[in-house]
Amino acid sequence: MPFFKLTDEQMMIQSMVREFSRKVVAATAEERDKSKEFPIENLKKMGELGLMGMMVPVEYGGEGADTISYVLALSEIAYSCASTAVVMSVHNSIVCESIVKFGTEKQKKKYLPMLADVEVIGAFALTEPHAGSDPVSQNTTAVKDGDHYIINGTKRFITSGKNGGLVIVTAKTDESAKHRGISAFIVEKGTKGMVVGHEEDKMGLRASDTTDLIFENCRVPAENMLGKEGDGFKIAMTGLDGGRIGIAAQSVGVAQACLDAAVKYAKGRDQFGQKISKFQGIRWYVAEIATEIEAARQLMYSAAALKDRKEKFTMQASMAKLFASEMVNRITGKCLQIHGGYGFTKDYPIERFYRDARVFTIYEGTSEIQKIVISNNIFKDKRKP
Ligand code: CAA
């Protein structure tokens, strides 16, 4: 529970998504981890439930829900399948939110309904082979040619790069202007010159595809620019602020799944003539894990509440992301330890949770980047890494 009371509507959304997630999403999560099959049918059902345009205003086909409702829903999906959750997170937090915030009326009317209805999955292409933590050093270019821009370059580690149907891409429109020379474009799948490249074979989140996107003389209509020329870095950073609350929500969801699995195992496992849940060593582990999850949950709520109040939430989003992603990596190990040797096998889901959580301290800004954002906000200067 948050330190404030959830509204009836927020609790209703949480319980509706919990039921759906534990019945429908959980049913195929283990199999998808093996087969790497993209969960498109579940994502479509999530669209029908209003989960894929959650914070999109109603007039553009969304639910008009607040961020608290969104993180409750995302945590519930992550509880069952972290692969499905990351697709939901990038789609809602970064792609839909960036179009809501920076899109023209025409872009909002064209793209938001199709995202909310899951006609297309949204992807976000900022990272490049040599520009991860430092996206200002990206090399992709967009050169104006009449009423089009011609994009050239390679994007890397793109969530839903293969299965996505609409990508927000950043590219340099003015080399000399550094971060103010980066612009953002909405590129639709099928646009000539945008090709899906290498697909990563990842240790976790295996049902979510992560690919290169290669742009070779890709002509994008100038009207597809998101925001103004030079706004791309600001759009990316603003999107990532919201995205980082989403990663905190994923971390909380996976952590809760780990704790519940460990408690269930401890209650069923006998050693030395009693259930291992009776041993103080296990009980203290469980008490510490539950406390860590609760602390992360409160940071997640705090960042989401600030965003809902339209206050600046950059620092709180980074704090929530930093603490929650580090927390889930601490506790997956402990929950696996409670499972003993069985935790190291694929007979129990804890092994999948352990692998899935590993990337949470890395993507959408590493823990080290979150510390830069937090300390820059405290010192109120812009010290470089
Ligand atoms: N909101 C709005 N604007 C922001 C901002 C924010 N949160 N943070 C910075 N800016 C603006 C600043 O105001 C500044 O603009 P002006 O000069 O016009 O005022 C400009 O951006 C540059 O700011 P900095 O000097 O602080 O930028 P920097 O180059 O030092 O970088 C950084 C800051 C925090 C290190 C940033 O580069 C960063 O977040 N890096 C990590 C990138 C990242 O998270 N990548 C993950 C990619 S997505 C992904 O993981 C894949 C996926 O699909 C899940």
Side-chain angles (χ1 to χ4, degrees), residues 333-356:
K334 287 183 184 167
C335 291
L336 196 150
Q337 189 73 15
I338 292 173
H339 284 72
Y342 291 108
F344 195 59
T345 72
K346 290 194 185 288
D347 294 344
Y348 287 84
I350 192 74
E351 180 267 351
R352 169 166 55 92
F353 302 153
Y354 184 86
R355 285 183 288 107
D356 282 345

mmCIF file of all heavy atoms in Angstrom, residues 333-356:
data_model
loop_
_atom_site.group_PDB
_atom_site.id
_atom_site.type_symbol
_atom_site.label_atom_id
_atom_site.label_comp_id
_atom_site.label_asym_id
_atom_site.label_seq_id
_atom_site.Cartn_x
_atom_site.Cartn_y
_atom_site.Cartn_z
ATOM 1 N N GLY A 333 18.582 -13.091 -6.148
ATOM 2 C CA GLY A 333 19.631 -14.002 -5.678
ATOM 3 C C GLY A 333 19.243 -14.650 -4.358
ATOM 4 O O GLY A 333 19.422 -15.856 -4.161
ATOM 5 N N LYS A 334 18.699 -13.837 -3.437
ATOM 6 C CA LYS A 334 18.318 -14.380 -2.127
ATOM 7 C C LYS A 334 17.150 -15.358 -2.259
ATOM 8 O O LYS A 334 17.116 -16.395 -1.598
ATOM 9 C CB LYS A 334 17.929 -13.243 -1.176
ATOM 10 C CG LYS A 334 19.121 -12.431 -0.703
ATOM 11 C CD LYS A 334 18.685 -11.364 0.287
ATOM 12 C CE LYS A 334 19.839 -10.479 0.689
ATOM 13 N NZ LYS A 334 19.391 -9.264 1.388
ATOM 14 N N CYS A 335 16.184 -15.009 -3.105
ATOM 15 C CA CYS A 335 15.014 -15.896 -3.267
ATOM 16 C C CYS A 335 15.433 -17.202 -3.944
ATOM 17 O O CYS A 335 14.905 -18.269 -3.627
ATOM 18 C CB CYS A 335 13.915 -15.206 -4.078
ATOM 19 S SG CYS A 335 13.157 -13.847 -3.178
ATOM 20 N N LEU A 336 16.413 -17.103 -4.839
ATOM 21 C CA LEU A 336 16.932 -18.317 -5.475
ATOM 22 C C LEU A 336 17.633 -19.159 -4.402
ATOM 23 O O LEU A 336 17.482 -20.379 -4.342
ATOM 24 C CB LEU A 336 17.892 -17.935 -6.602
ATOM 25 C CG LEU A 336 18.247 -19.024 -7.603
ATOM 26 C CD1 LEU A 336 18.544 -18.397 -8.980
ATOM 27 C CD2 LEU A 336 19.444 -19.846 -7.181
ATOM 28 N N GLN A 337 18.375 -18.500 -3.511
ATOM 29 C CA GLN A 337 19.081 -19.198 -2.422
ATOM 30 C C GLN A 337 18.092 -19.969 -1.545
ATOM 31 O O GLN A 337 18.357 -21.096 -1.128
ATOM 32 C CB GLN A 337 19.851 -18.166 -1.587
ATOM 33 C CG GLN A 337 20.783 -18.744 -0.559
ATOM 34 C CD GLN A 337 22.035 -19.364 -1.189
ATOM 35 O OE1 GLN A 337 22.337 -19.126 -2.350
ATOM 36 N NE2 GLN A 337 22.729 -20.183 -0.429
ATOM 37 N N ILE A 338 16.934 -19.375 -1.276
ATOM 38 C CA ILE A 338 15.912 -20.055 -0.463
ATOM 39 C C ILE A 338 15.466 -21.343 -1.150
ATOM 40 O O ILE A 338 15.173 -22.338 -0.498
ATOM 41 C CB ILE A 338 14.717 -19.100 -0.193
ATOM 42 C CG1 ILE A 338 15.167 -17.961 0.731
ATOM 43 C CG2 ILE A 338 13.522 -19.854 0.408
ATOM 44 C CD1 ILE A 338 14.144 -16.859 0.938
ATOM 45 N N HIS A 339 15.441 -21.344 -2.485
ATOM 46 C CA HIS A 339 15.062 -22.539 -3.242
ATOM 47 C C HIS A 339 16.168 -23.606 -3.240
ATOM 48 O O HIS A 339 15.943 -24.715 -3.755
ATOM 49 C CB HIS A 339 14.773 -22.197 -4.710
ATOM 50 C CG HIS A 339 13.451 -21.524 -4.967
ATOM 51 N ND1 HIS A 339 13.183 -20.222 -4.613
ATOM 52 C CD2 HIS A 339 12.322 -21.984 -5.573
ATOM 53 C CE1 HIS A 339 11.963 -19.908 -5.005
ATOM 54 N NE2 HIS A 339 11.405 -20.954 -5.577
ATOM 55 N N GLY A 340 17.350 -23.269 -2.748
ATOM 56 C CA GLY A 340 18.455 -24.223 -2.760
ATOM 57 C C GLY A 340 18.766 -24.678 -4.181
ATOM 58 O O GLY A 340 18.608 -23.905 -5.139
ATOM 59 N N GLY A 341 19.175 -25.927 -4.331
ATOM 60 C CA GLY A 341 19.567 -26.460 -5.642
ATOM 61 C C GLY A 341 18.451 -26.378 -6.657
ATOM 62 O O GLY A 341 18.706 -26.189 -7.861
ATOM 63 N N TYR A 342 17.206 -26.476 -6.208
ATOM 64 C CA TYR A 342 16.074 -26.414 -7.153
ATOM 65 C C TYR A 342 15.978 -25.044 -7.831
ATOM 66 O O TYR A 342 15.485 -24.922 -8.941
ATOM 67 C CB TYR A 342 14.753 -26.748 -6.441
ATOM 68 C CG TYR A 342 14.687 -28.204 -6.025
ATOM 69 C CD1 TYR A 342 14.795 -28.570 -4.683
ATOM 70 C CD2 TYR A 342 14.557 -29.218 -6.974
ATOM 71 C CE1 TYR A 342 14.762 -29.896 -4.302
ATOM 72 C CE2 TYR A 342 14.530 -30.545 -6.607
ATOM 73 C CZ TYR A 342 14.633 -30.891 -5.264
ATOM 74 O OH TYR A 342 14.614 -32.203 -4.901
ATOM 75 N N GLY A 343 16.453 -24.024 -7.148
ATOM 76 C CA GLY A 343 16.416 -22.676 -7.719
ATOM 77 C C GLY A 343 17.305 -22.540 -8.943
ATOM 78 O O GLY A 343 17.130 -21.630 -9.752
ATOM 79 N N PHE A 344 18.264 -23.439 -9.039
ATOM 80 C CA PHE A 344 19.232 -23.398 -10.138
ATOM 81 C C PHE A 344 18.735 -24.185 -11.342
ATOM 82 O O PHE A 344 19.418 -24.304 -12.348
ATOM 83 C CB PHE A 344 20.568 -23.966 -9.617
ATOM 84 C CG PHE A 344 21.749 -23.669 -10.495
ATOM 85 C CD1 PHE A 344 22.111 -22.363 -10.790
ATOM 86 C CD2 PHE A 344 22.521 -24.702 -11.022
ATOM 87 C CE1 PHE A 344 23.199 -22.088 -11.597
ATOM 88 C CE2 PHE A 344 23.618 -24.439 -11.837
ATOM 89 C CZ PHE A 344 23.957 -23.129 -12.122
ATOM 90 N N THR A 345 17.528 -24.748 -11.235
ATOM 91 C CA THR A 345 16.967 -25.530 -12.337
ATOM 92 C C THR A 345 15.824 -24.763 -12.998
ATOM 93 O O THR A 345 15.311 -23.789 -12.434
ATOM 94 C CB THR A 345 16.389 -26.874 -11.839
ATOM 95 O OG1 THR A 345 15.177 -26.597 -11.104
ATOM 96 C CG2 THR A 345 17.368 -27.613 -10.952
ATOM 97 N N LYS A 346 15.420 -25.268 -14.162
ATOM 98 C CA LYS A 346 14.299 -24.619 -14.852
ATOM 99 C C LYS A 346 12.959 -25.174 -14.381
ATOM 100 O O LYS A 346 11.918 -24.866 -14.952
ATOM 101 C CB LYS A 346 14.462 -24.776 -16.370
ATOM 102 C CG LYS A 346 15.625 -23.942 -16.898
ATOM 103 C CD LYS A 346 15.613 -23.814 -18.405
ATOM 104 C CE LYS A 346 16.848 -23.083 -18.919
ATOM 105 N NZ LYS A 346 16.852 -21.646 -18.642
ATOM 106 N N ASP A 347 12.978 -25.979 -13.314
ATOM 107 C CA ASP A 347 11.722 -26.516 -12.777
ATOM 108 C C ASP A 347 10.955 -25.462 -11.981
ATOM 109 O O ASP A 347 9.768 -25.625 -11.708
ATOM 110 C CB ASP A 347 12.009 -27.714 -11.851
ATOM 111 C CG ASP A 347 12.582 -28.888 -12.637
ATOM 112 O OD1 ASP A 347 12.450 -28.870 -13.880
ATOM 113 O OD2 ASP A 347 13.167 -29.785 -12.012
ATOM 114 N N TYR A 348 11.654 -24.418 -11.583
ATOM 115 C CA TYR A 348 11.007 -23.355 -10.795
ATOM 116 C C TYR A 348 11.194 -22.017 -11.505
ATOM 117 O O TYR A 348 12.264 -21.765 -12.082
ATOM 118 C CB TYR A 348 11.628 -23.295 -9.389
ATOM 119 C CG TYR A 348 11.215 -24.456 -8.510
ATOM 120 C CD1 TYR A 348 11.883 -25.674 -8.588
ATOM 121 C CD2 TYR A 348 10.121 -24.356 -7.645
ATOM 122 C CE1 TYR A 348 11.491 -26.757 -7.818
ATOM 123 C CE2 TYR A 348 9.727 -25.431 -6.870
ATOM 124 C CZ TYR A 348 10.405 -26.630 -6.951
ATOM 125 O OH TYR A 348 9.998 -27.688 -6.193
ATOM 126 N N PRO A 349 10.199 -21.136 -11.440
ATOM 127 C CA PRO A 349 10.292 -19.878 -12.201
ATOM 128 C C PRO A 349 11.358 -18.917 -11.685
ATOM 129 O O PRO A 349 11.725 -17.983 -12.389
ATOM 130 C CB PRO A 349 8.890 -19.266 -12.049
ATOM 131 C CG PRO A 349 8.293 -19.908 -10.847
ATOM 132 C CD PRO A 349 8.897 -21.280 -10.762
ATOM 133 N N ILE A 350 11.872 -19.164 -10.492
ATOM 134 C CA ILE A 350 12.846 -18.225 -9.914
ATOM 135 C C ILE A 350 14.063 -18.057 -10.818
ATOM 136 O O ILE A 350 14.646 -16.968 -10.919
ATOM 137 C CB ILE A 350 13.269 -18.685 -8.486
ATOM 138 C CG1 ILE A 350 14.037 -17.586 -7.753
ATOM 139 C CG2 ILE A 350 14.035 -19.986 -8.491
ATOM 140 C CD1 ILE A 350 13.198 -16.471 -7.284
ATOM 141 N N GLU A 351 14.414 -19.109 -11.543
ATOM 142 C CA GLU A 351 15.577 -19.057 -12.445
ATOM 143 C C GLU A 351 15.326 -18.042 -13.578
ATOM 144 O O GLU A 351 16.210 -17.272 -13.948
ATOM 145 C CB GLU A 351 15.814 -20.485 -12.984
ATOM 146 C CG GLU A 351 16.973 -20.641 -13.933
ATOM 147 C CD GLU A 351 16.600 -20.514 -15.394
ATOM 148 O OE1 GLU A 351 15.409 -20.471 -15.733
ATOM 149 O OE2 GLU A 351 17.512 -20.435 -16.213
ATOM 150 N N ARG A 352 14.087 -18.013 -14.072
ATOM 151 C CA ARG A 352 13.731 -17.041 -15.128
ATOM 152 C C ARG A 352 13.714 -15.622 -14.553
ATOM 153 O O ARG A 352 14.225 -14.684 -15.175
ATOM 154 C CB ARG A 352 12.361 -17.409 -15.727
ATOM 155 C CG ARG A 352 11.746 -16.344 -16.630
ATOM 156 C CD ARG A 352 10.583 -16.893 -17.455
ATOM 157 N NE ARG A 352 9.539 -17.516 -16.652
ATOM 158 C CZ ARG A 352 8.453 -16.877 -16.186
ATOM 159 N NH1 ARG A 352 8.276 -15.590 -16.452
ATOM 160 N NH2 ARG A 352 7.549 -17.522 -15.481
ATOM 161 N N PHE A 353 13.140 -15.483 -13.362
ATOM 162 C CA PHE A 353 13.087 -14.141 -12.750
ATOM 163 C C PHE A 353 14.505 -13.581 -12.567
ATOM 164 O O PHE A 353 14.763 -12.397 -12.793
ATOM 165 C CB PHE A 353 12.391 -14.183 -11.384
ATOM 166 C CG PHE A 353 10.975 -14.727 -11.400
ATOM 167 C CD1 PHE A 353 10.434 -15.333 -10.269
ATOM 168 C CD2 PHE A 353 10.168 -14.614 -12.527
ATOM 169 C CE1 PHE A 353 9.134 -15.830 -10.257
ATOM 170 C CE2 PHE A 353 8.861 -15.107 -12.524
ATOM 171 C CZ PHE A 353 8.350 -15.713 -11.392
ATOM 172 N N TYR A 354 15.405 -14.465 -12.138
ATOM 173 C CA TYR A 354 16.802 -14.072 -11.885
ATOM 174 C C TYR A 354 17.438 -13.531 -13.170
ATOM 175 O O TYR A 354 18.106 -12.501 -13.165
ATOM 176 C CB TYR A 354 17.547 -15.316 -11.377
ATOM 177 C CG TYR A 354 18.976 -15.123 -10.961
ATOM 178 C CD1 TYR A 354 19.311 -14.709 -9.675
ATOM 179 C CD2 TYR A 354 20.031 -15.390 -11.844
ATOM 180 C CE1 TYR A 354 20.626 -14.559 -9.278
ATOM 181 C CE2 TYR A 354 21.354 -15.239 -11.459
ATOM 182 C CZ TYR A 354 21.643 -14.829 -10.178
ATOM 183 O OH TYR A 354 22.947 -14.677 -9.790
ATOM 184 N N ARG A 355 17.204 -14.244 -14.282
ATOM 185 C CA ARG A 355 17.793 -13.807 -15.561
ATOM 186 C C ARG A 355 17.105 -12.549 -16.085
ATOM 187 O O ARG A 355 17.744 -11.634 -16.575
ATOM 188 C CB ARG A 355 17.685 -14.934 -16.607
ATOM 189 C CG ARG A 355 18.667 -16.057 -16.389
ATOM 190 C CD ARG A 355 18.575 -17.109 -17.493
ATOM 191 N NE ARG A 355 17.375 -17.925 -17.433
ATOM 192 C CZ ARG A 355 16.344 -17.838 -18.258
ATOM 193 N NH1 ARG A 355 16.353 -16.966 -19.245
ATOM 194 N NH2 ARG A 355 15.286 -18.609 -18.122
ATOM 195 N N ASP A 356 15.765 -12.522 -15.976
ATOM 196 C CA ASP A 356 15.027 -11.371 -16.520
ATOM 197 C C ASP A 356 15.430 -10.063 -15.826
ATOM 198 O O ASP A 356 15.555 -9.025 -16.466
ATOM 199 C CB ASP A 356 13.513 -11.577 -16.337
ATOM 200 C CG ASP A 356 12.915 -12.535 -17.369
ATOM 201 O OD1 ASP A 356 13.580 -12.822 -18.375
ATOM 202 O OD2 ASP A 356 11.775 -12.996 -17.146
#
